[in-house]
Amino acid sequence: MPKTPQRSTIADVARHAGVSKATVSRFLNHRDTLLTPAIAKRVEAAVKELGYKPSPMAQALKRGRSRLIGLVVADITNPYSVAVLSGAELACREAGYLVMLFNLGNESERESAGIQALSSYKVEGFILNTMGHDAGAVLETAGQGRPVVLVDRMHQGLDVDFVSLDNPHAIDLCMNHLISAGYRDFLLVSEPLGQVSSRIQRARAYEAFIQARGPALRGDSFECGPADEAALMQRLQALRANARGLPAVVSNNAVVTLRLIAAVAALGWKLGEDIGLIGIDDAPWAPFVGPGVSAVSQPTEQIGRLAARCLLQRLDGLTAPARTILLPGTLAARGSTRSRAAAALAPG
Amino acid sequence: MPKTPQRSTIADVARHAGVSKATVSRFLNHRDTLLTPAIAKRVEAAVKELGYKPSPMAQALKRGRSRLIGLVVADITNPYSVAVLSGAELACREAGYLVMLFNLGNESERESAGIQALSSYKVEGFILNTMGHDAGAVLETAGQGRPVVLVDRMHQGLDVDFVSLDNPHAIDLCMNHLISAGYRDFLLVSEPLGQVSSRIQRARAYEAFIQARGPALRGDSFECGPADEAALMQRLQALRANARGLPAVVSNNAVVTLRLIAAVAALGWKLGEDIGLIGIDDAPWAPFVGPGVSAVSQPTEQIGRLAARCLLQRLDGLTAPARTILLPGTLAARGSTRSRAAAALAPG
DNA sequence: TTGTAGGCGTTATCAT
DNA sequence: ATGATAACGCCTACAA
């Protein structure tokens, strides 16, 4: 049984090299400070020989900074969160930071707990994709004035960097596509809007679009929770019954898209034939469900990378006013919105 | 602009309560040690008033333990990893631990870096779902004798707790189902086996099954990397050309299943009609792709929970010999393996 | 029962 | 250019 090989400390290195701890520390941190070459060599050798690695915790304690970035995601189960996470993680890693993850599991009450936990580990900044429960208040107290960047979800009264899909543009992409495919009757299905800014923005953009086109378009909306399958099916039936041609459903995100796909299947309908469907959030399986599910795809990794980059800039001392970075989505038109609506309507 | 409200320290509390730091510390950690009620009250009040929260980093530095669990996942992009992660995270949280995540992004070289990074933050234990590059060696050195539990992937010479799907059973589930649906010609498609024990085990179980049934069955295998679409399509065509009826493909995991679905689509084939398909790993979209994709579903959250539980027991001092926990998968038979093979073969 | 003091592993401020 | 030394926030002998 190998004795637990105690990690060597800076003191060990100092002893081994016959210098003081301070010298070792300087060699490590302030390479610029000129050390006598001979000493430098000795220290370097000792470091290598002992396999010395500084203790991040001790450094954090001393410096008040930890080389840690705190990332709070609303729901790690949502592929969107994961994609953002991996983008952010990569960017942080490249800059020498480690990401500490806190998953809310969609429980907004845990939001402040998450921020506080992360904060207590002295994370140097926060990337937040949260529920909007009370992040603002908590950050005032626990944030310690550390930089914050919001992803996908904005919070009122929190004047910080914000990175997100350009939601109105994404909705326009959906709607213009649907209209040019001949659809005239719509239903927007969202998860319960709550305080979630992205959901709200999409709903607003949708309503604005419908309004702007006058009575030629009919647009309704529905908030669909995880247990609302029955209600959802009823809404879909009503939509189809009252439509003047083939109606289309617009889905607020991938989770809802899947619910819609299930509902349509349960009704025995076929996508693109009995109903149109397009969603925000593309997914790797989308091309293969039915005739292919149309979607507006988000540049998720890029969102994550940019969020991290914003944060890193702040950590580098950038003091510019809060920035808002909106990234365009891209349309992937597939069979679920093929131009049958036009045919069905085919006027004289 | 609110002054950054410095977190209050134990010294602040002591001063506020008019006692020594030691007393505060005792009040916090050793509630059993009898304190004069009057003093206890004063300390309690001070703690509350100042909103004092101990600094986990300082505690970790002093105690050598951090209330942190290190979790290394091979690829956070794989839903399997996420599911395990969320199960483990929940169990850890309930026990008062925070999970620190390290994502390898499928780069096995980063495995040791991950373990070391986590270790330097003094995580109290490791949950590893890694590539099998050199985790063993690294743990000897960096693991500091802290408990480890392996998930899904075993490592030679690492005698620790192991939680996983029962792979042979899962393969038997697949194969028996296929056979009773009339299939006789098979292809197993895996990601490159490498050192990954689960992939290897599944491949072995598959081969064993084929062998055991004698020449009535024909079974081939193929290792398919991310860029092997063309080769994959060729293999599928060869499979179909040489088969005596409808052949079936068995997919090693969800990632491969998606690749197979794409290949089948590119060939213009229909699942369950031109080829059978069943995969290990179920997915929420599986019922809606083509006629539904058959799968053996893993109890992923449970795997994560159990892994965490094993670890927590070890942290509680359990010294039992290394355990192996194998969980059964469950078959979800769908259209992609419907019993057409039998019909096609229909002998006299 | 409570306080004093030392140290966990670093870094930074002084001297030297 | 280098070396003592004092923190960082906390815990724990040991002393009182």
Side-chain angles (χ1 to χ4, degrees), chain A residues 243-257:
Chain A
R244 296 157 295 178
L246 204 58
V249 181
V250 179
S251 160
N252 206 309
N253 71 25
V255 174
V256 169
T257 301

Side-chain angles (χ1 to χ4, degrees), chain B residues 90-107:
Chain B
L90 189 63
C92 289
R93 186 204 313 161
E94 286 169 355
Y97 286 83
L98 222 56
V99 167
M100 198 158 171
L101 175 72
F102 199 99
N103 171 34
L104 298 184
N106 265 332
E107 300 170 40

Side-chain angles (χ1 to χ4, degrees), chain A residues 214-227:
Chain A
L217 266 36
R218 291 197 207 137
D220 210 345
S221 1
F222 179 55
E223 300 186 23
C224 172

Side-chain angles (χ1 to χ4, degrees), chain A residues 20 22-23 26 34-36 39 62:
Chain A
S20 77
T23 303
R26 274 190 214 104
L34 243 25
L35 304 222
T36 307
I39 298 241
K62 181 62 194 173

Side-chain angles (χ1 to χ4, degrees), chain A residues 128 148-155 158 160-164:
Chain A
L128 262 33
V148 175
V149 39
L150 263 28
V151 168
D152 188 67
R153 300 161 180 209
M154 211 152 32
H155 297 315
L158 208 51
V160 299
D161 290 341
F162 174 60
V163 182
S164 162

Side-chain angles (χ1 to χ4, degrees), chain B residues 130-299:
Chain B
T130 57
M131 315 296 294
H133 194 63
D134 54 2
V138 174
L139 281 171
E140 294 287 311
T141 334
Q144 292 283 64
R146 291 192 182 75
V148 175
V149 39
L150 264 26
V151 168
D152 187 67
R153 299 163 180 207
M154 211 152 31
H155 298 316
Q156 292 188 353
L158 208 51
D159 187 37
V160 299
D161 289 341
F162 174 60
V163 182
S164 162
L165 177 69
D166 182 339
N167 288 308
H169 173 254
I171 289 289
D172 284 1
L173 237 35
C174 287
M175 296 307 292
N176 282 323
H177 166 67
L178 289 173
I179 284 181
S180 71
Y183 293 92
R184 296 290 179 270
D185 299 79
F186 306 99
L187 177 68
L188 172 74
V189 181
S190 311
E191 289 189 279
L193 299 186
Q195 304 292 327
V196 180
S197 73
S198 52
R199 295 178 191 163
I200 294 171
Q201 281 188 8
R202 289 170 197 174
R204 289 227 183 98
Y206 167 82
E207 281 155 21
F209 189 101
I210 300 280
Q211 290 275 318
R213 298 303 175 105
L217 264 38
R218 290 198 207 137
D220 209 346
S221 0
F222 179 55
E223 300 185 22
C224 173
D228 298 339
E229 289 95 349
L232 179 58
M233 286 172 63
Q234 287 180 1
R235 285 305 283 262
L236 293 178
Q237 284 177 306
L239 173 70
R240 187 140 177 262
N242 300 326
R244 295 158 296 178
L246 204 58
V249 180
V250 179
S251 160
N252 206 309
N253 71 24
V255 175
V256 169
T257 301
L258 213 44
R259 261 180 228 149
L260 279 164
I261 290 169
V264 166
L267 287 166
W269 297 353
K270 286 201 188 325
L271 291 173
E273 292 182 23
D274 300 307
I275 195 163
L277 173 62
I278 187 169
I280 290 185
D281 283 349
D282 200 4
W285 45 262
F288 309 113
V289 168
V293 177
S294 301
V296 169
S297 124
Q298 298 200 46

